[in-house]
Amino acid sequence: MSDEDDLEDFEPDQDDFEKEEDEKETEEGEDYRKEGEEFPEEWLPTPLTEDMMKEGLSLLCKTGSGLAHAYVKLEVKERDLTDIYLLRSYIHLRYVDVSENHLTDLSPLNYLTHLLWLKADGNRLRSAQLNELPYLQIASFAYNQITDTEGISHPRLQTLNLKGNRIHMVTGLDPQKLISLHTVELRGNQLESTLGINLPKLKNLYLVTHWVIGWCREEGTVLGVRMPVF
């Protein structure tokens, strides 16, 4: 079985993802930077190293034609990282967790065209913009300094988490490209309007803590209904 076949067959466990988010919601506000808290102006440069990669890599899988193998999962949380340039060389990665660092730039991830799952919470990001990643299905950028929703155009993206950022308006979410996106988390921002949210598969839109906007389509009209989250 080819690498592409494995990626096509991947089914993210959405229940586990949402359960983990609910369990961590209270403590995240303390563990990550709180809303309005300023980041230090400068951090000592701390690039990702080969030694860190060796410690963080796991999940050996077949790649390409199935004759070769590579580690496809990386976890490098809480390493004070400011630079992940090294990831450009690890093109077989499918699951990447770079949470709780000091990253301002995720552009090396543009080279990971097999990426399925990304968690970049608790960094210093001002944008979630990446090149179109054909297989990315779950992406989390919670508790950063992100101010807009531009540059998110991954065709298989199903769940997008932008909780705890500085977003005022939703722009750039193209319904013709985001054809699989069904869950969007925007709690903890400063949203002024829901204009710009018009996604064909949207089922769960989280805007206010403990409330969810459930979207349904009736004769081509999108209706918003508020309901408690248990």
Side-chain angles (χ1 to χ4, degrees):
M1 181 179 291
S2 70
D3 216 18
E4 285 72 18
D5 290 336
D6 287 343
L7 296 171
E8 292 284 355
D9 292 340
F10 172 74
E11 288 292 339
D13 193 330
Q14 186 62 32
D15 291 339
D16 287 348
F17 179 82
E18 292 178 353
K19 180 180 179 182
E20 177 185 358
E21 287 299 304
D22 290 340
E23 290 174 347
K24 291 184 177 180
E25 183 176 343
T26 301
E27 61 189 61
E28 276 179 340
E30 300 174 357
D31 293 342
Y32 295 135
R33 289 86 174 172
K34 297 178 182 178
E35 183 178 340
E37 182 180 345
E38 293 299 325
F39 293 86
E41 290 297 323
E42 297 292 339
W43 293 92
L44 291 176
T46 306
L48 182 62
T49 65
E50 292 287 359
D51 286 340
M52 292 180 188
M53 293 295 296
K54 290 177 182 177
E55 294 176 12
L57 285 170
S58 62
L59 193 58
L60 190 64
C61 291
K62 294 180 180 179
T63 64
S65 64
L67 300 178
H69 292 76
Y71 289 105
V72 300
K73 183 177 180 180
L74 175 69
E75 182 178 303
V76 282
K77 297 171 56 177
E78 299 179 306
R79 297 298 189 100
D80 293 330
L81 293 174
T82 59
D83 178 3
I84 54 172
Y85 182 86
L86 187 60
L87 288 186
R88 293 161 58 109
S89 303
Y90 289 80
I91 59 173
H92 296 295
L93 285 174
R94 302 178 190 174
Y95 313 91
V96 172
D97 187 347
V98 291
S99 300
E100 301 172 65
N101 287 292
H102 310 306
L103 299 174
T104 59
D105 177 26
L106 296 180
S107 60
L109 299 178
N110 291 329
Y111 292 81
L112 309 185
T113 55
H114 293 161
L115 195 63
L116 296 166
W117 185 95
L118 170 63
K119 189 170 185 181
D121 299 355
N123 280 283
R124 302 176 65 196
L125 301 172
R126 295 187 181 275
S127 172
Q129 183 166 355
L130 289 168
N131 291 349
E132 184 176 304
L133 296 171
Y135 298 108
L136 186 63
Q137 297 183 29
I138 294 178
S140 183
F141 306 96
Y143 302 103
N144 279 277
Q145 296 179 334
I146 295 170
T147 58
D148 61 55
T149 54
E150 296 287 339
I152 301 172
S153 58
H154 317 293
R156 287 185 172 82
L157 189 64
Q158 297 180 17
T159 299
L160 174 64
N161 187 353
L162 291 165
K163 181 194 300 183
N165 281 284
R166 301 179 181 179
I167 299 168
H168 291 271
M169 294 291 293
V170 176
T171 59
L173 297 185
D174 188 341
Q176 295 184 344
K177 292 184 177 180
L178 297 170
I179 56 176
S180 302
L181 187 55
H182 59 66
T183 300
V184 178
E185 168 65 86
L186 284 165
R187 283 176 285 191
N189 286 279
Q190 296 92 41
L191 285 178
E192 301 168 357
S193 167
T194 57
L195 291 176
I197 305 175
N198 182 25
L199 302 164
K201 294 291 183 68
L202 190 61
K203 296 180 180 178
N204 305 303
L205 174 58
Y206 298 90
L207 297 175
V208 184
T209 304
H210 303 311
W211 292 86
V212 61
I213 303 296
W215 296 97
C216 61
R217 289 187 174 272
E218 182 176 89
E219 297 180 353
T221 302
V222 180
L223 305 174
V225 181
R226 297 188 71 187
M227 59 190 78
V229 180
F230 298 103

